[in-house]
Amino acid sequence: MKEDIKFNVKKMANFLGCPFTEDEERQGVIEQISKFCSFDNLKNLEVNKKGKHPTGFRNDAFFRKGEVGDWKNYLTPSMSDRMEKILEEKFSGSGLSFKKES
C-alpha cells in the first residue's frame, strides 16, 4: 500500500466499482483520500485514542508504529514462516500478494 498509495487508492476505487473521474483526479481527490486514510490521521482520531471496540479492546490497541516491516519486531522466524504460508494460501488466485522483506 505505502509503496504507491495513489495507484493503490485508484485500484481499490476501480475494484469497488467507483473509479475516479479525470476531473476528480485533477482536483486532487485521490491525494485527499490518501491523507484522510493515512495511518497518522487515523491513529490521531479521538475515537481511536480513547474509544473501545465492541470486543472490549481499546481502539488504540490496533495501532502500533505504522512502519513497513515492523512486524519483524513482533514475530519469531517460525511465526513469520507460518504467516507467509497462510497468506500464500489465502491470496492464491486473488491477484494479491504479500511482499516479505528480509
Side-chain angles (χ1 to χ4, degrees):
M1 251 336 253
K2 283 183 140 181
E3 200 170 273
D4 190 346
I5 293 174
K6 185 175 179 179
F7 170 80
N8 285 301
V9 169
K10 286 175 68 171
K11 190 173 179 179
M12 281 191 289
N14 288 333
F15 174 78
L16 294 170
C18 308
F20 294 102
T21 65
E22 288 181 22
D23 193 40
E24 288 171 326
E25 288 192 46
R26 275 193 302 276
Q27 292 175 9
V29 171
I30 297 170
E31 289 81 3
Q32 291 171 0
I33 290 171
S34 298
K35 185 178 177 183
F36 182 75
C37 296
S38 73
F39 180 85
D40 286 335
N41 185 60
L42 294 174
K43 183 176 183 175
N44 290 312
L45 292 175
E46 196 65 25
V47 69
N48 291 330
K49 288 182 178 181
K50 297 185 178 172
K52 277 193 169 185
H53 190 267
T55 59
F57 289 103
R58 290 175 36 136
N59 287 345
D60 65 355
F62 295 99
F63 295 90
R64 288 192 327 254
K65 295 178 186 175
E67 295 176 7
V68 173
D70 188 47
W71 58 269
K72 291 180 236 172
N73 296 317
Y74 297 87
L75 302 180
T76 65
S78 66
M79 291 166 72
S80 172
D81 291 343
R82 183 170 180 238
M83 181 182 75
E84 188 173 11
K85 288 175 185 165
I86 291 169
L87 290 172
E88 284 175 11
E89 178 187 316
K90 299 292 183 183
F91 288 169
S92 177
S94 71
L96 299 173
S97 63
F98 176 75
K99 190 188 316 182
K100 182 179 175 184
E101 297 176 11
S102 300

